[in-house]
Amino acid sequence: MERYIAFDVETPNYNNDRMSAIGLAVIEGGQIVDSFATLVDPETFFSPFNVALTGITPEAVQGAPSFPALWQELRPLLESGTLLAHNASFDLRVLSLCLAAYALPHRRFVPYGCTVQMGRRCYPSLPNHKLNTLCGALDITLDHHRADSDSLACAELFLNYRRQGLDTGRFLRRYDLDTMRTLSPTRG
């Protein structure tokens, strides 16, 4: 059975090398079957821009687990299927930088798909393919820049694209978490 994990991260500052929140939505059998979200103590500074964007403050993450404390729980989920993200290069880079910063063990190559790229093909007439634009056009609930809501919206977009007949497999790639680069399509 195909398994996809839509995920979204929020960051505390412009370095984008730590997370202040992460959300995941698991897709199996053409439906969302599970979700997970938490604030993350990034163990670093917060920039005013990121606080204004996400609403996540240093006070909000007090008592939240650090990324290394979460990794034992996150790793099996993130490695259990194909990752999906809206603007995947951003979320995958943040994940890569977090793993490197904490020297955490991980699978080097991950299959992934970007719902921005899929959205451009499925809905070419929209003015842009930002998450909030797509969700507004498709009547998908979104509390933007909240990792739980963004990951669920990403999963809903993916399912919508499939219902529209988009061959989402054409958009799957492999990402090297060590070099932070897309390598190739996952299928020919």
Side-chain angles (χ1 to χ4, degrees):
M1 178 184 304
E2 290 180 312
R3 183 175 167 98
Y4 298 91
I5 298 85
F7 82 109
D8 180 77
V9 302
E10 302 300 334
T11 61
N13 58 55
Y14 46 79
N15 291 332
N16 295 326
D17 61 353
R18 301 291 175 97
M19 297 177 193
S20 53
I22 186 167
L24 296 93
V26 179
I27 301 169
E28 285 183 347
Q31 60 185 355
I32 298 169
V33 297
D34 198 9
S35 64
F36 170 85
T38 185
L39 291 173
V40 181
D41 181 350
E43 303 179 306
T44 191
F45 72 98
F46 283 73
S47 71
F49 174 83
N50 291 62
V51 169
L53 182 69
T54 67
I56 302 170
T57 64
E59 296 77 26
V61 299
Q62 283 184 349
S66 66
F67 185 75
L70 283 171
W71 185 237
Q72 191 169 14
E73 185 176 357
L74 290 175
R75 185 179 183 186
L77 281 169
L78 290 170
E79 293 184 353
S80 69
T82 300
L83 299 180
L84 300 172
H86 202 76
N87 191 16
S89 60
F90 174 81
D91 297 276
L92 288 166
R93 182 173 173 78
V94 173
L95 177 61
S96 295
L97 290 170
C98 279
L99 291 167
Y102 291 109
L104 293 169
H106 61 279
R107 181 171 68 175
R108 180 172 178 180
F109 304 106
V110 295
Y112 81 95
C114 179
T115 54
V116 170
Q117 293 174 359
M118 293 175 199
R120 287 181 183 135
R121 178 63 58 93
C122 199
Y123 296 101
S125 63
L126 289 177
N128 64 60
H129 296 85
K130 295 177 183 178
L131 186 60
N132 58 333
T133 301
L134 282 158
C135 288
L138 301 173
D139 200 28
I140 294 172
T141 301
L142 177 68
D143 185 5
H144 204 18
H145 298 297
R146 303 296 182 266
D148 56 346
S149 182
D150 288 2
S151 62
L152 286 166
C154 178
E156 291 287 354
L157 285 174
F158 180 76
L159 293 171
N160 174 281
Y161 300 155
R162 288 197 145 181
R163 285 191 301 272
Q164 297 303 313
L166 184 70
D167 178 5
T168 55
R170 293 182 54 220
F171 295 89
L172 301 183
R173 305 284 183 262
R174 284 186 323 134
Y175 191 82
D176 184 334
L177 287 168
D178 290 349
T179 64
M180 294 180 278
R181 293 181 10 180
T182 293
L183 299 175
S184 67
T186 58
R187 66 178 195 163

